[in-house]
Amino acid sequence: MSATVSPLAPKSYAEMPVIRGLRMATAAAGIKYKNRTDVLLMAFDAPASVAGVFTRSKCPSAPVDFCRSNLSHGVARGVVVNSGNANAFTGLKGRAATELTAKSAAQALGCSEQEIYLASTGVIGEPLDATKFAGVLGTMATDATGDFWLEAAKAIMTTDTYPKVATRSADIDGVTVTINGIAKGAGMIAPDMATMLSFVVTDADIAAPALQALLSEGVGPTFNSVTVDSDTSTSDTLMLFATGAAAADGQARIEHADDPRLAGFKTALNAVLKDLALQVVRDGEGARKMVAVTVTGAESDLAAKRIALSIANSPLVKTAVAGEDANWGRVVMAVGKSGEMADRDLLAIWFGDVRVAVNGERDPDYSEAATTAVMKEQDIAVKVDIGLGQGTATVWTCDLTKEYVAINGDYRS
């Protein structure tokens, strides 16, 4: 955790209600950090439905492999998360660490290892000494409590400068249900199926296949539309759990994602995912500004998203934002290199409400003063109209500052 909190941090944290059927505990195992918690246990009192999306990196971490193999069973009793070590690119030692952790967690919770899920974040390539926390899982299981969301979010941070929490409520057939989530991430953020690490839990009673469909669809416009530095982590893990406790209030179990009774829940879930995803971008390493890149008029929505990502991931665009320089030529460059159809002479570009370019050249009414005022804001909107079709997309990113280089230049020390 950085000494200085991002200027884009939320001014206050959401009041996180207890989710019935879930208890949590944290511990300081000294994996990398001194004098702070670095292990989180989430314990479900009864088997919970589970869904997950993971990195599409071809070099996934050992915990990602472990979660993927257990997901087909569709049931969770416990989740163990550690920060400070990603347990990625650790070979047989990595697998042994996941096996020891799962065995210890299963014993602590009185369940099978197929009902345990694992996630690790931190340095890649360092063997993870799972004995450091395997021994404390029993105590954690006993001490776990429901009112612990903010502490849980703190325990999974690495270069994050603040914990990330979000909550919403929804109505399923007249019964109110709650959705809570935590996330971590600040660098190596260009999620490909999920973010760095995020765990979302609801007390709704929803079957695993329905949960999986909701989650897989929900990541597209949220976690898969944010980028800090274009780098996809080996550890990206986003999991959604449903404890089913709302059944006690009379909520009928939902078996299918297309059930019309899920409409409100789906909206609330997507709001939690977007809330967490944007908090990750606002904590981008060294970030001072948040940028929303919207592309319209592309050949398709997919083309629009690729163009938006080309702009959002451009170091030249991001450094121009950091320097408060309305250099729309950088945006033209990023559109041109995206690989998607674009017509130079049809392009229009806006910074905030100020149109800086139209019909492939500088706007005749261009005002340097008006554009500079936009660039001094903390939140900046960049809009590009391609002028070819109906495709639209929005992607969120942050500026690229000297601080980013400093943080990543000595990450392992």
Side-chain angles (χ1 to χ4, degrees), residues 384-399:
V384 179
D385 188 72
I386 307 299
L388 290 176
Q390 302 300 313
T392 64
T394 300
V395 165
W396 293 270
T397 190
C398 55
D399 55 348

Side-chain angles (χ1 to χ4, degrees), residues 281-328:
V281 175
R282 297 185 80 82
D283 203 14
E285 290 167 344
R288 294 289 174 269
K289 295 178 185 291
M290 166 107 159
V291 188
V293 180
T294 299
V295 172
T296 60
E299 279 200 311
S300 66
D301 289 350
L302 182 59
K305 186 165 181 180
R306 285 183 177 144
I307 295 168
L309 282 168
S310 180
I311 298 165
N313 282 326
S314 164
L316 291 176
V317 171
K318 288 157 67 72
T319 47
V321 172
E324 300 182 343
D325 177 14
N327 189 342
W328 48 270

Side-chain angles (χ1 to χ4, degrees), residues 254-272:
I254 305 283
E255 297 288 346
H256 303 288
D258 57 3
D259 191 313
R261 292 173 294 180
L262 276 182
F265 180 87
K266 186 175 174 180
T267 300
L269 172 64
N270 290 350
V272 167

Side-chain angles (χ1 to χ4, degrees), residues 50-54 67-68 71 76 79 117-119 180 182 194 197-201 215 237-241 273:
V50 56
V53 286
F54 305 93
C67 287
R68 278 188 172 129
L71 203 60
V79 184
Y117 290 85
L118 308 174
N180 284 3
I182 60 174
L197 296 183
S198 187
F199 305 94
V200 181
V201 186
L215 187 63
T237 297
L238 166 58
M239 301 201 74
L240 171 61
F241 304 90
L273 297 179

Side-chain angles (χ1 to χ4, degrees), residues 85-130:
N85 185 312
N87 194 13
F89 209 70
T90 43
L92 293 174
K93 291 192 184 90
R95 198 169 307 147
T98 60
E99 286 169 4
L100 173 61
T101 308
K103 190 174 180 183
S104 306
Q107 284 175 343
L109 296 173
C111 67
S112 97
E113 291 166 37
Q114 291 179 338
E115 296 171 309
I116 300 294
Y117 290 85
L118 308 174
S120 299
T121 178
V123 175
I124 293 171
E126 288 281 329
L128 172 63
D129 181 3

Side-chain angles (χ1 to χ4, degrees), residues 181-255:
I182 60 174
K184 67 82 43 187
M188 207 188 287
I189 301 291
D192 195 0
M193 279 308 287
T195 185
M196 289 286 288
L197 296 183
S198 187
F199 305 94
V200 181
V201 186
T202 179
D203 55 2
D205 193 5
I206 302 173
L211 269 192
Q212 185 65 54
L214 290 171
L215 187 63
S216 295
E217 186 181 339
V219 289
T222 58
F223 281 124
N224 281 357
S225 293
V226 298
T227 177
V228 166
D229 48 22
S230 83
D231 287 335
T232 293
S233 169
T234 57
S235 308
D236 286 344
T237 297
L238 166 58
M239 301 201 74
L240 171 61
F241 304 90
T243 69
D249 302 333
Q251 187 229 306
R253 183 172 174 86
I254 305 283
E255 297 288 346

